[in-house]
């Protein structure tokens, strides 16, 4: 699944693309996101494309305030 998402993200024909990961508690969402991040991790440059992965942990934020404010 992670490789398919990465292929979609890197496909210029799909630019812009948005990917959502949804599932029940414990279903593996974080694992899938980490696999995607690993696939996008810096490797020897094959192209001029720069990929920046920004991770966030929503559990660190007060749900009453929201993740963007802090």
């Amino acid at each position: 699944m992670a490789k398919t998402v990465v292929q979609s993200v890197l496909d210029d024909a799909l630019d812009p693309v948005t990917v959502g990961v949804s599932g029940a508690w414990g279903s593996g969402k974080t694992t899938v996101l980490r696999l995607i991040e690993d696939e996008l991790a810096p490797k020897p440059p094959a192209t001029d494309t720069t990929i920046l992965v920004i991770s966030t942990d929503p559990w660190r934020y007060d749900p009453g305030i929201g993740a963007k404010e802090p």
Side-chain angles (χ1 to χ4, degrees), residues 25-46:
W25 178 270
S27 63
K29 298 177 298 293
T30 300
T31 299
V32 169
L33 290 173
R34 287 186 181 141
L35 289 169
I36 292 167
E37 184 175 358
D38 289 347
E39 286 289 318
L40 291 171
K43 295 178 175 74

Side-chain angles (χ1 to χ4, degrees), residues 1 4 12-15 19 22 30 32 36 40-41 43 45-46 48 51-52 55 59-60 62 68-70:
M1 181 186 313
T4 301
D12 289 337
L14 296 177
D15 188 27
V19 177
S22 178
T30 300
V32 169
I36 292 167
L40 291 171
K43 295 178 175 74
D48 293 335
I51 297 171
L52 176 63
S55 298
W59 303 112
R60 291 179 151 194
D62 179 351
K68 290 193 256 180
E69 286 78 1

